[in-house]
Amino acid sequence: MPIFFDAEQRVFHLQAGHTSYVLHIFESGHLAHAYWGQKVRAIQPARLIRTEERAFSPNPDPANRRFSLDTLPQEYPAYGNTDYRQPAYQVQLDNGSTITDLRYVSHTITPGKPALTGLPATYAESEQEAMTLEITLEDKLIGLQAVLSYTAFEQQNAIARSVRFINTGTAPLKLLRALSVSVDFYHDQFELLHLSGAWARERYVEKRKLAPGTQSIESRRGASSHQQNPFVALLEHGATEDYGNVYGFSLVYSGNFLASVEVDQLHTSRLSMGINPFDFSWLLAPGEQFQTPEAVMVYSSEGLTGMSQTYHELYRTRLCRGEFRDKPRPVLINNWEATYFNFTADKIEQIAQAGRELGIELFVLDDGWFGKRNDDTTSLGDWFVDKNKLPAGLEDLAQRVTKLGMQFGLWFEPEMISRDSELYRAHPDWCLHVPERNRSEGRGQLTLDLSRPEVCDYIVDAVSKVLASAPISYVKWDMNRHMTEIGSAALPPERQRETAHRYMLGLYSVMERITTAFPHVLFESCSGGGGRFDPGILHYMPQTWTSDNTDAIARLKIQYGTSLVYPISAMGAHISAVPNHQLHRTTSLKMRGDVAMSGNFGYELDLTTFTPEERELAKEQVAQYKELREFVQFGRFYRLLSPFEGLEAAWMFVSEDGQDVLACYFNILAEPHEPLKRLMLKGLDPNSIYRNTATDEVYGGDELMHAGLALPRQHGDFESHLFRFRKV
C-alpha cells in the first residue's frame, strides 16, 4: 500500500511510484516535512530534522530554545508564531488580528481518491490506483480546521495535494491566503524552471539559479495567462533533460495563481503554490468550508524527461475525461485565417469540399456566424445564427458539410459580452464591473460575471440550444480578454474580493454541465490561443489551441515548452498560410506540416487557393498523419534538441507497445560549411532492431541511441526531416 503511518514514531510515509514522501508530527503537534525523493524503505525523521538554537529565531516554547518554527521544515506553515518565511495561509479574525496556530488532531487513510467539490482534479478509476491521506490540523482557540489532503498514485511518481478549510467556531473568519501546497527543502542548490511568454509567444522555457530572497511567478489577469503558466520545477544542481533530481509543481487551476520560492538565511528553500493572494479574500461564516485547487507534485530522478512523462501519462489518462480521452483526434480544417469574418455558406462549403478531397475529417466554422458579427466589436452573447451570412441557418450548413462525409465543428466565445449586443442591452449589469467606474474593454468586449448563477444558466442554455440544433461534433471554446474592474453586482461589499475565484467556480460548473450534456462533442479550449492552457481546463476539454501563432519556426519553441508538462494529445497544431499572419515569415508547406504533425494536426487557411502541387503534398500529409497520429498523440514523447539552446530542434515519439518510432528534426537557420551532424535517439530497446520505413535500412536500438542517426546535409533555412522506424 502506498501510505503508511507509524503511530509510535508519529510518521507518515507516502510511496507514489518510485518515490517517497515523509512527514513527522512533532510532540507539539506541528507537522514537519522530512523527505521527498527516491523511494526508500524507511526513514527516521529525527535523523533528518535537526533543531538547534539560532540567533533571532524565537521560540514558541520558551523552555526549549532549540525549537523554532523559523528553522523547522513545515508542511503547512503560518506567519506570526516565530516563522518569518512566506506562509501557506493567513486568516483574519473578527478582532482584526491574523495570528493562528494549527496543530495536528487526527488523520484518515482511505483507498482511492475523492473528488474536489466544484473544482477540477486528477482522479483514480479504481481504489487500487491510489490512496489518500487526510490530516486535520486545528486552531482550537478560534475553531479553524485545515484538512491537508495527499493522494499518492500507485503507478506514477505523483502526489496530488489540496487543503480544505472549515470554520467550526462561532465567529466569521476571513481567508486572506489559502495556498494549495508548501514544501520545505533543506538546501537551495536548485535552478527554478518556469514557462513564460506573451500572446503568440507562450510557454517559453526560462531557467535561473535560486538566490537568497523570493523568486516568484504569478498571474493577476483572472486567467492562468499567456504570460505565465501555473507550473514550476526545481532542478537540483547538475540535473539535465535526462539525468538528476527534478521536482515539478503544477496547479490544476485556471485563474489567478502564485508560485514562489523563498531562500532563507540558512539557505533552505520553501516552495509555495496556489490561488494568488493578491486581491483575494474569502469570508468563512461558521459552519462553512473553502476548498483550495489541487496541486500535482512530481518527482523525477531521470531529469526533465522523467518528470514530463509522468505529467503526460497522469494528465492524459487521469485528468482528461470522456470518450475523447483515448480516441484519436480528427484532422481538421478551420476557416479563420482563410476568411476571418467575411464568408458565405457557399464559400464555407467550397473550403470543406477541398478538405474532403485531401482526406480531412472535420470542418470548423470559426468566429462570425452569429448575431451581427462582422467584426470583433459586436454580438458576443447573442448566440443565434446571422441569417445574412447563413440564410438557410446553421443546420443547413452543417448538413452540407456532413453530406461531404466530414464532421462539422463550431466556434464559441461564451464567457464574453459585447456592448453592442442584445444581451448587453437587456442585462448591462451582467458583466464584471465596479459601480460608477469605467468599464474597460479588451478586443472590444467585456467579461460576463460568471460568479452569478443566472449568468451561468444563460450560457448553458444558449450554447446547448445551438449544439442541439445541428449535427455538431466539435466545439472550439475561446476566451479573448483578461479581467479588469473585477467586481460583481450580486456580491456584498465584504465578498467583492471573492469575485475572481467565484468566476472560476462558475466557469467550471458551466463546462461540467455542457460537456456532460454533449458527451459526443469534442471540446477544444482556446484563449487567444494558449492563454489558458492549464490542467484545470483540460479536466473538461481534452485539448487546447496551443497558440494563435501558427508560424512553424515559432511553434518549435512553443510546442517544446508546452511539452514540459502537457501531453501531446492536448496540443492543437495547424498548418496556416504564408507569409504567416503573425510573423510574416515564409516557410515551406513541408516544414509547416512536419511541425504541425507533432500535435493534433489540421489546417487553417483557404484550401481552395492551393496549387496542384500543394494539394498533392497536403493529401500526402493528411494520409501520413493518419498513420502516425495514434502513437504521436498517445505515445511516449522525448525531447532531443532544444530550440532554446541552438538553431535546431528535435523530438521523437515511441508508441506504447514500442513498435513504432517517429523522430523529427528541424533546422532553423543554415550555416556555411556546416559540420556533419548526428541525432541521438532515446527510449528505444537497445537489444532490438529497427527498420527505417523510407529506406529499409536497419539499425540496432543501441546504435540509434548511442552512435546516432546521420542527418542529411541542409540546403537552406527552415528545413525539416521526419524519420519513421518500425521494430523488426
Side-chain angles (χ1 to χ4, degrees):
M1 300 296 283
I3 298 179
F4 310 90
F5 178 62
D6 185 329
E8 183 178 348
Q9 293 194 71
R10 292 161 64 90
V11 171
F12 298 101
H13 187 166
L14 290 73
Q15 294 184 339
H18 302 295
T19 70
S20 286
Y21 192 94
V22 181
L23 314 176
H24 175 51
I25 308 167
F26 267 68
E27 291 182 5
S28 62
H30 293 100
L31 190 62
H33 174 76
Y35 175 78
W36 182 25
Q38 194 79 8
K39 182 184 282 188
V40 294
R41 287 174 294 169
I43 274 186
Q44 301 288 335
R47 298 172 183 169
L48 299 178
I49 303 174
R50 294 179 293 176
T51 58
E52 296 182 10
E53 182 177 356
R54 297 281 191 171
F56 286 88
S57 290
N59 318 106
D61 178 4
N64 184 1
R65 297 178 65 174
R66 295 174 59 86
F67 181 79
S68 174
L69 299 180
D70 196 34
T71 59
L72 183 72
Q74 296 173 73
E75 273 300 298
Y76 205 67
Y79 175 82
N81 297 325
T82 72
D83 190 348
Y84 295 106
R85 294 167 292 177
Q86 59 188 13
Y89 76 100
Q90 189 175 38
V91 177
Q92 186 174 39
L93 281 58
D94 233 8
N95 63 11
S97 68
T98 57
I99 302 301
T100 56
D101 191 6
L102 291 174
R103 308 285 182 103
Y104 169 85
V105 292
S106 65
H107 73 273
T108 61
I109 299 174
T110 55
K113 185 179 189 295
L116 298 189
T117 303
L119 285 166
T122 55
Y123 58 90
E125 289 193 334
S126 72
E127 291 187 344
Q128 290 71 43
E129 289 184 356
M131 291 193 75
T132 298
L133 165 67
E134 288 194 340
I135 303 174
T136 299
L137 309 178
E138 186 173 18
D139 184 331
K140 295 186 177 180
L141 179 65
I142 61 174
L144 173 67
Q145 289 186 348
V147 181
L148 311 186
S149 176
Y150 303 77
T151 294
F153 290 90
E154 179 78 35
Q155 299 299 322
Q156 287 95 8
N157 301 331
I159 295 172
R161 287 184 60 177
S162 65
V163 182
R164 185 171 73 257
F165 290 93
I166 308 170
N167 184 356
T168 66
T170 59
L173 301 171
K174 181 172 280 191
L175 289 172
L176 304 178
R177 184 181 181 97
L179 301 185
S180 300
V181 62
S182 179
V183 177
D184 285 350
F185 295 89
Y186 74 93
H187 66 85
D188 65 351
Q189 295 303 297
F190 294 106
E191 280 187 303
L192 173 66
L193 182 150
H194 57 99
L195 303 174
S196 300
W199 174 79
R201 184 169 46 81
E202 298 91 345
R203 290 172 302 285
Y204 275 30
V205 178
E206 302 286 348
K207 285 196 293 187
R208 62 180 184 271
K209 192 177 186 308
L210 293 189
T214 301
Q215 295 110 103
S216 65
I217 63 165
E218 61 184 318
S219 174
R220 296 182 295 273
R221 294 173 166 265
S224 49
S225 82
H226 306 79
Q227 288 70 22
Q228 301 289 350
N229 197 261
F231 159 80
V232 294
L234 292 179
L235 282 64
E236 206 162 58
H237 181 71
T240 65
E241 180 67 36
D242 301 297
Y243 305 101
N245 293 327
V246 174
Y247 302 84
F249 299 82
S250 174
L251 189 66
V252 186
Y253 190 60
S254 311
N256 294 334
F257 74 91
L258 171 70
S260 64
V261 190
E262 181 179 2
V263 175
D264 74 353
Q265 58 180 340
L266 303 177
H267 292 279
T268 67
S269 308
R270 172 173 289 174
L271 190 142
S272 307
M273 175 179 268
I275 294 174
N276 199 331
F278 177 82
D279 203 38
F280 165 84
S281 67
W282 194 275
L283 187 63
L284 270 183
E288 290 187 339
Q289 302 184 11
F290 179 83
Q291 175 66 56
T292 72
E294 179 172 277
V296 178
M297 310 189 311
V298 167
Y299 165 75
S300 168
S301 62
E302 299 174 331
L304 289 169
T305 294
M307 179 202 72
S308 296
Q309 290 184 348
T310 297
Y311 276 123
H312 290 184
E313 181 182 10
L314 185 67
Y315 282 179
R316 187 181 67 78
T317 66
R318 294 299 181 267
L319 176 67
C320 297
R321 302 173 300 164
E323 68 177 73
F324 293 98
R325 185 189 76 175
D326 304 315
K327 183 180 290 187
R329 312 295 163 74
V331 179
L332 67 82
I333 171 64
N334 181 298
N335 72 296
W336 178 241
E337 290 195 11
T339 67
Y340 292 102
F341 296 103
N342 184 26
F343 59 82
T344 63
D346 289 343
K347 178 61 177 178
I348 294 302
E349 186 177 12
Q350 290 170 15
I351 297 174
Q353 172 67 35
R356 184 193 68 82
E357 293 170 359
L358 301 179
I360 293 174
E361 300 156 310
L362 166 66
F363 178 87
V364 180
L365 178 62
D366 211 283
D367 195 355
W369 58 268
F370 55 92
K372 299 177 181 178
R373 184 76 165 173
N374 296 314
D375 56 45
D376 61 11
T377 66
T378 182
S379 299
L380 287 173
D382 296 345
W383 299 111
F384 49 84
V385 177
D386 180 355
K387 292 297 185 69
N388 291 319
K389 291 180 184 175
L390 305 176
L394 196 61
E395 184 177 11
D396 169 74
L397 179 61
Q399 289 177 347
R400 289 164 73 172
V401 171
T402 56
K403 282 180 181 178
L404 296 172
M406 300 177 71
Q407 301 173 60
F408 181 74
L410 198 61
W411 178 96
F412 287 90
E413 191 170 2
E415 301 165 60
M416 300 295 150
I417 185 171
S418 303
R419 288 182 193 261
D420 182 10
S421 68
E422 293 185 16
L423 183 64
Y424 187 81
R425 285 184 282 273
H427 299 285
D429 64 330
W430 273 17
C431 66
L432 292 176
H433 68 282
V434 174
E436 302 180 10
R437 295 291 183 185
N438 178 55
R439 300 184 182 188
S440 304
E441 295 185 9
R443 198 178 181 249
Q445 60 199 50
L446 300 165
T447 306
L448 284 170
D449 181 3
L450 270 64
S451 73
R452 301 177 63 164
E454 65 271 29
V455 176
C456 294
D457 290 344
Y458 170 79
I459 293 173
V460 172
D461 182 63
V463 172
S464 296
K465 285 179 179 177
V466 175
L467 294 182
S469 72
I472 297 167
S473 61
Y474 167 99
V475 165
K476 182 177 180 180
W477 183 295
D478 211 342
M479 190 276 284
N480 281 308
R481 70 153 294 183
H482 292 155
M483 296 180 187
T484 56
E485 293 84 46
I486 303 174
S488 174
L491 291 175
E494 65 272 17
R495 291 192 178 272
Q496 283 298 316
R497 292 178 71 181
E498 300 175 9
T499 304
H501 181 60
R502 287 185 180 274
Y503 178 101
M504 296 315 308
L505 296 178
L507 174 64
Y508 293 146
S509 173
V510 166
M511 289 185 167
E512 177 73 23
R513 292 160 66 186
I514 292 177
T515 57
T516 300
F518 296 91
H520 304 307
V521 174
L522 171 59
F523 287 85
E524 178 178 88
S525 67
C526 178
S527 175
R532 205 164 57 185
F533 202 134
D534 60 63
I537 299 296
L538 284 182
H539 188 65
Y540 306 97
M541 302 183 177
Q543 64 187 56
T544 299
W545 181 225
T546 313
S547 176
D548 277 348
N549 186 350
T550 49
D551 172 69
I553 303 306
R555 273 300 188 102
L556 294 174
K557 288 186 175 180
I558 293 168
Q559 292 174 205
Y560 186 99
T562 304
S563 77
L564 263 292
V565 195
Y566 302 103
I568 304 304
S569 62
M571 292 190 220
H574 298 170
I575 294 174
S576 62
V578 291
N580 174 262
H581 289 197
Q582 291 79 40
L583 294 178
H584 309 289
R585 178 158 43 206
T586 296
T587 54
S588 69
L589 182 58
K590 180 185 185 306
M591 176 76 172
R592 284 174 277 154
D594 288 352
V595 175
M597 285 191 205
S598 297
N600 296 326
F601 182 67
Y603 293 81
E604 195 152 333
L605 42 71
D606 190 348
L607 296 174
T608 65
T609 65
F610 268 1
T611 65
E613 293 76 17
E614 289 173 328
R615 279 197 297 273
E616 188 59 33
L617 177 54
K619 189 174 183 179
E620 292 173 4
Q621 288 173 331
V622 172
Q624 181 182 16
Y625 185 72
K626 287 179 180 179
E627 293 182 4
L628 301 171
R629 65 176 158 191
E630 192 154 351
F631 76 88
V632 165
Q633 293 170 5
F634 305 128
R636 295 192 308 277
F637 178 77
Y638 297 87
R639 292 175 294 270
L640 305 179
L641 295 172
S642 171
F644 296 97
E645 298 175 4
L647 295 176
E648 55 187 350
W651 48 63
M652 62 178 286
F653 306 85
V654 180
S655 63
E656 192 173 0
D657 62 7
Q659 295 297 309
D660 287 283
V661 178
L662 177 68
C664 310
Y665 173 78
F666 310 98
N667 190 59
I668 299 171
L669 294 179
E671 295 181 276
H673 209 58
E674 65 177 1
L676 300 177
K677 298 177 181 178
R678 298 180 187 176
L679 186 64
M680 309 297 179
L681 306 192
K682 299 178 183 178
L684 306 181
D685 179 354
N687 299 312
S688 290
I689 300 298
Y690 295 84
R691 178 178 61 86
N692 185 318
T693 61
T695 66
D696 282 334
E697 293 179 290
V698 295
Y699 301 78
D702 51 356
E703 177 186 2
L704 289 170
M705 291 192 293
H706 305 308
L709 176 68
L711 292 171
R713 289 285 301 274
Q714 307 305 306
H715 299 288
D717 298 339
F718 315 143
E719 287 199 355
S720 59
H721 303 277
L722 302 185
F723 305 94
R724 187 178 178 188
F725 298 90
R726 285 279 299 174
K727 185 187 285 188
V728 176

